[in-house]
Amino acid sequence: MGDRPVELRALLDSVAGQRGDPVEVVVVGNGAELPELPEGVRGIELPENLGIPGGRNVGIEAFGPGGTDVDVLLFLDDDGLLPDKETAELVREAFAADAQLGIISFRIADPDTGVTQRRHVPRLRASDPMRSSRVTTFLGGANAVRTAVFQKVGGLPENFFYAHEETDLAWRALDAGWAIDYRADLLLHHPTTAPSRHAMYHRMVARNRVWLARRNLPLPLIPVYLGVWLLLTLVRRPSWPALRAWFAGFAEGWRTSCGQRRAMRWRTVWRLTRLGRPPVI
């Protein structure tokens, strides 16, 4: 977004410091001017903010249609940092060792406290962030994706703008036969934040949750999935303004187009269930 030039430069320096083959880098200014970039780093300035998935899709296409110029793409938040110099090599080794591996989700930890927030562990049993496992979704700001995934199932859903775009891609990738790993040994330092501090958060989360279900779930599971999330939202007792925004987004998700519907197979539903997260929660 162009408002963290110091943090961005630190991230780029940490990528440049990775051992092994150099990592080609593209920085997308999502409706913002870019600061001066290091030599060899490409920059793309978009005239308007396309949202998180829209901006990342532009970054994908910067490496050829569907990212075809490279085998793997890393997506890193501009205020993150790779503290370990072996991360890129470990990513290469992971994809080389497992032909079915489509996506890797990194562990995110606060640089000062070392704490990984529970919401940054992409599984229901999130009490031990140091345990790596197969998962059913991934973290948008700290991941690596085999570009063959994009070529097979398409990019991120641009109309989502913010929230749940990763799960939409993850479900499509899993339905196409790819696997997703959470790797605790692949670390991104990132300051601890609370996404709900944003006024837009509650509306986007609710709207996109409805779109996610309408786009991807078999018809019988849509009311179950959304009913569970409605109850969870009420149990968490958000403030009245937050709840009002949530219900506005929930209604918007039903009355507006969710984009192309490609319901997952029941075989994929069972696969998600075996991985510990059936698509009803």
Side-chain angles (χ1 to χ4, degrees), residues 101-147:
L101 180 61
I103 303 172
I104 298 174
S105 189
F106 294 12
R107 179 169 62 91
I108 294 177
D110 185 277
D112 297 322
T113 65
V115 171
T116 296
Q117 294 178 271
R118 186 179 182 90
R119 68 186 181 90
H120 284 156
V121 182
R123 58 176 179 246
L124 291 180
R125 296 179 179 178
S127 59
D128 182 8
M130 300 306 295
R131 178 174 65 88
S132 300
S133 68
R134 284 270 153 101
V135 290
T136 62
T137 188
F138 64 99
L139 306 174
N143 65 80
V145 182
R146 195 188 296 269
T147 53

Side-chain angles (χ1 to χ4, degrees), residues 13-34:
D13 289 345
S14 74
V15 174
Q18 294 294 301
R19 295 193 176 97
D21 293 337
V23 179
E24 187 178 351
V25 180
V26 168
V27 178
V28 177
N30 211 348
E33 293 184 6
L34 291 175

Side-chain angles (χ1 to χ4, degrees), residues 75-109:
F75 296 88
L76 303 172
D77 274 354
D78 63 353
D79 55 346
L81 185 142
L82 297 175
D84 301 324
K85 295 184 182 297
E86 304 294 337
T87 300
E89 281 293 272
L90 290 173
V91 168
R92 294 185 182 104
E93 292 170 5
F95 282 113
D98 185 352
Q100 293 305 115
L101 180 61
I103 303 172
I104 298 174
S105 189
F106 294 12
R107 179 169 62 91
I108 294 177

Side-chain angles (χ1 to χ4, degrees), residues 23-281:
V23 179
E24 187 178 351
V25 180
V26 168
V27 178
V28 177
N30 211 348
E33 293 184 6
L34 291 175
E36 183 178 353
L37 299 174
E39 184 178 355
V41 174
R42 288 187 285 160
I44 300 174
E45 290 186 357
L46 303 179
E48 61 178 310
N49 182 0
L50 301 182
I52 293 173
R56 287 181 179 152
N57 282 344
V58 169
I60 294 168
E61 295 300 309
F63 294 93
T68 49
D69 292 348
V70 294
D71 296 321
V72 174
L73 285 173
L74 303 178
F75 296 88
L76 303 172
D77 274 354
D78 63 353
D79 55 346
L81 185 142
L82 297 175
D84 301 324
K85 295 184 182 297
E86 304 294 337
T87 300
E89 281 293 272
L90 290 173
V91 168
R92 294 185 182 104
E93 292 170 5
F95 282 113
D98 185 352
Q100 293 305 115
L101 180 61
I103 303 172
I104 298 174
S105 189
F106 294 12
R107 179 169 62 91
I108 294 177
D110 185 277
D112 297 322
T113 65
V115 171
T116 296
Q117 294 178 271
R118 186 179 182 90
R119 68 186 181 90
H120 284 156
V121 182
R123 58 176 179 246
L124 291 180
R125 296 179 179 178
S127 59
D128 182 8
M130 300 306 295
R131 178 174 65 88
S132 300
S133 68
R134 284 270 153 101
V135 290
T136 62
T137 188
F138 64 99
L139 306 174
N143 65 80
V145 182
R146 195 188 296 269
T147 53
V149 173
F150 297 123
Q151 293 146 32
K152 190 168 185 178
V153 307
L156 294 156
E158 296 189 6
N159 59 332
F160 278 40
F161 196 85
Y162 167 82
H164 303 318
E165 67 273 3
E166 301 93 354
T167 299
D168 185 89
L169 176 62
W171 282 1
R172 286 183 280 130
L174 290 164
D175 195 51
W178 298 103
I180 305 171
D181 279 355
Y182 167 72
R183 288 280 299 265
D185 58 329
L186 300 178
L187 178 62
L188 181 83
H189 276 168
H190 188 282
T192 297
T193 59
S196 56
R197 71 190 187 281
H198 300 300
M200 179 181 67
Y201 169 83
H202 301 283
R203 181 177 68 87
M204 292 290 191
V205 162
R207 183 198 67 182
N208 292 359
R209 183 82 68 185
V210 177
W211 282 355
L212 178 69
R214 290 174 58 200
R215 283 165 59 93
N216 295 285
L217 292 181
L219 288 175
L221 293 185
I222 293 176
V224 179
Y225 177 80
L226 295 176
V228 167
W229 278 104
L230 173 61
L231 290 174
L232 284 173
T233 300
L234 295 175
V235 167
R236 290 169 177 169
R237 301 177 66 183
S239 67
W240 170 241
L243 190 61
R244 184 170 54 192
W246 192 94
F247 274 111
F250 193 81
E252 182 182 351
W254 284 109
R255 69 172 183 265
T256 56
S257 172
C258 64
Q260 183 178 5
R261 173 172 165 78
R262 289 180 289 192
M264 67 176 65
R265 296 166 295 178
W266 285 102
R267 180 170 63 186
T268 304
V269 172
W270 175 237
R271 184 183 181 194
L272 290 164
T273 303
R274 288 189 292 110
L275 287 170
R277 189 152 196 164
V280 294
I281 188 171

